[in-house]
Amino acid sequence: MRPSQPRKIPGGVSVPVLILTGLIAAFAAAAQATAERVDLDIVNRIRFEGLSHSQVGKLAAYLSDVIGPRPTGSLEIARANRWAASKMKEWGMSNVELEPYDAFGVGWALRYVSAHLLKPHYAPLIAISVEWGSPTKGRITGNPVYVDIKSKSDFAGYQGRLKGKIVLYQPPKPVPTSFTPDARRHDDESLRRLAETPIAAVVPPDPDYTRSFADDLEDFFRAEGVGVLVSSSGSRLREYGTVLASGVRQARNPGRARPLPEIILAAEHYNRIVRIIEEFKEPAEMEVEVRSDFYDQDQRGYNVVGEIPGSDKKDEIVMLGGHIDSWSPGTGAADDAAGCAVSLEAVRILQALKVKPRRTVRVVLWSAEEKGWIGSKAYVEKHFGDVTTMVLKPEHAKIAGYFNYDNGSGRIRGIYAQSNAAVVPIFSAWLAPFADLGATQVVMRDTGGSDHGALDYIGLPAFQFIQDPLDYSTRIHHTNMDVFDHLVVEDLMQSSAIMASFVYHAAMREDMLPRKPLPDPMKYPARR
């Protein structure tokens, strides 16, 4: 997922509405007035099972360490789906299935990438492949070429010079020294800022894809027969050997030509090579090889679904989940094996306690979140309705709520109410037994960037938790450092207990969670 951001007025200006003491008092009074029932006995049992017998670390480790990176459409995500379904069945869950949808396209997986500087000295290079990039034609060894192409008028200067070459095609990116910590937890001040709700102006829908200079540049490189493209990862504080992933636009389209082979180098290594050949005019030699696989036999995607059946309100559904797909450079541990592990652990806890929820509890592990919420959008369209018309299906009326986990492995500090004032006193009551574990905040503001948005956009009560940011945005998110060693397992244990408690109480209360007014028909914001 993308790190959560508040909605902004065009031009990037947020307008905060200060939450005054009187308003906070009003919420507190509302909480008392609702007398929201909290079952402290079950909270005690959830806390004991979740903090004393936790399996969340093992779940996250198996999904990330053993199965590894999980691009949608790959053999690895297929294995992850089967594994998750087997765990649900092992715990006695019902209606476990891999539910297909038809909107994904061509799958892809990286099989091998190797990059070395051979001259003027030897150095192993930190490199990844772009997602959905093609393999090289074997191992390419040769002199790297740096091209300075800013417009189509620059093409002529390089015609006939790039066939089979290793081509560095981006300007060097600076690697500034940072004097702020990579990782942090929320403090009183940062939590207070989250309680200030930005006012969202009406923003026109994002435009559809249109052809750009990037397409012209790709066509030029393809016509010239380049051997492999090389780009730099130097952006968004991704230095010190951290490499940020990127993908190839429109690459899943089966009618599109396969993208060119391309590797992304750590910024420091990219900059070194450019200096050698451009500033010092010294001959350099590199060796690069990429192997990747495309999968077009089955172009469907799959969401993993399992249920704990309800009793007297079994036709009503409480949902929870995270996304099981990942980017390829790391192992998708924080993004989002963490969310899958927390969701699985939450239902394991409820099964271990042999609870009998009134409503059915449904866990869904989404695929293709990283390609624009494709799995959750398809699920919404199949089960709940059409956001472009707001014509709803019968199941829409049966969803009591959805809880999403996709902000890394930081512990839960609260929950975003998604502009739903009616849930604030309810969630405040549910959080109260976890104040000693640092979870205290219910804030009105919206947050986006993950699959709960697909449900929120069609008017369902769908929520994302506030989590400690740790180093998710500075080092981990979509990089080669998204690995198990950067998860905080103790935080995931806390999160699993809170998730289990929220799901339980949503499944047991007399009424479903209150809803906001149904949104106007809309177009999904374009992503990536």
Side-chain angles (χ1 to χ4, degrees), residues 3-8 14 194 196 198 445-448:
S4 297
Q5 297 291 335
R7 295 180 180 177
K8 294 180 180 293
S14 290
L194 284 177
E196 298 174 356
R445 69 165 61 196
D446 293 0
T447 185

Side-chain angles (χ1 to χ4, degrees), residues 317-346:
I317 310 294
V318 178
M319 298 176 63
L320 70 157
H323 67 87
I324 199 164
D325 68 309
S326 78
W327 287 74
S328 61
T331 60
D335 189 16
D336 186 30
C340 293
V342 164
S343 299
L344 290 171
E345 173 69 358

